[in-house]
Amino acid sequence: MSDKKRWYVVQAFSGYEARVAESLKEHIKMQGMEDKFGEILVPKEEVVEMRGGVRRKSERKFFPGYVLVEMDMDEDAWHLIKSVPRVLGFIGGSSDRPTPISKKEADAILDRLQDSADKPKPKTLFEPGEVVRVNDGPFADFNGTVEEVDYEKSRVTVSVSIFGRATPVELEFGQIEKA
């Protein structure tokens, strides 16, 4: 990577981030401007949820509506980005003179992408003290309070009131829902 390339944030129509990224790559190739552009990313992370007792992986955008573009900003590169359909513009700076995000911000995003690839996050996050409803298993339809959350194993310890006594029960994320 040359020292001149920096990361810029391009705003796209929400839901069209992947299409905008593809269009950008095609436009860059057609214009023969590969030397001015580096990576083009739609920041996504892998999430895991339990549905019907089956562990499912899916992707969630963590900056919906934005595409990260590594580029050497000049007049031609700016016009190329602006000419792509469903691009609203750049974030930061002025509309005709966008500013790149800092190296620290770019690294934080790239690290998050890497972490997500290594270990997916659960789709729903639970916190100790939160009241949840058990929707599966022998304690279905009971309400309980989250005591502990183990994201590594996708399990949660819930304190359920059985015959007037609080009893800790270990459940999978898929067996509970926010009350």
Side-chain angles (χ1 to χ4, degrees):
M1 179 177 122
S2 84
D3 292 343
K4 293 176 89 174
K5 287 192 185 112
R6 303 280 305 271
W7 285 99
Y8 290 83
V9 180
V10 174
Q11 190 173 14
F13 286 12
S14 196
Y16 288 96
E17 301 88 351
R19 198 171 297 167
V20 165
E22 283 309 305
S23 294
L24 279 170
K25 290 173 187 170
E26 288 168 18
H27 279 68
I28 291 164
K29 208 174 221 123
M30 285 190 304
Q31 302 287 328
M33 293 173 65
E34 292 93 342
D35 57 325
K36 290 188 182 180
F37 291 88
E39 288 185 80
I40 295 172
L41 302 172
V42 177
K44 289 185 273 198
E45 58 192 351
E46 220 170 55
V47 291
V48 176
E49 66 180 322
M50 295 296 282
R51 247 195 261 147
V54 180
R55 191 180 165 107
R56 294 177 188 230
K57 284 186 179 182
S58 60
E59 286 187 324
R60 173 175 60 192
K61 296 178 198 101
F62 58 84
F63 289 133
Y66 299 107
V67 178
L68 293 178
V69 181
E70 187 183 29
M71 62 190 278
D72 180 2
M73 179 65 78
D74 67 8
E75 198 75 20
D76 296 335
W78 181 86
H79 280 293
L80 183 135
I81 300 269
K82 296 287 280 184
S83 72
V84 170
R86 299 186 184 88
V87 166
L88 295 167
F90 287 93
I91 301 299
S94 62
S95 60
D96 58 338
R97 194 83 203 119
T99 54
I101 58 174
S102 71
K103 176 146 177 45
K104 189 176 169 196
E105 287 171 308
D107 288 345
I109 294 166
L110 297 170
D111 288 347
R112 186 167 169 186
L113 287 171
Q114 189 54 53
D115 289 348
S116 159
D118 296 343
K119 47 178 184 272
K121 282 196 170 98
K123 195 165 192 171
T124 311
L125 299 173
F126 298 102
E127 290 178 28
E130 186 174 13
V131 176
V132 293
R133 181 170 188 74
V134 180
N135 60 18
D136 183 37
F139 301 101
D141 298 328
F142 277 83
N143 280 354
T145 307
V146 174
E147 287 186 357
E148 259 179 69
V149 184
D150 184 348
Y151 288 114
E152 295 287 312
K153 294 183 181 148
S154 294
R155 296 185 75 74
V156 63
T157 305
V158 177
S159 178
V160 179
S161 180
I162 303 169
F163 305 121
R165 282 207 165 108
T167 308
V169 180
E170 193 173 293
L171 301 165
E172 292 182 0
F173 285 164
Q175 294 179 285
I176 60 171
E177 59 193 30
K178 294 188 182 270

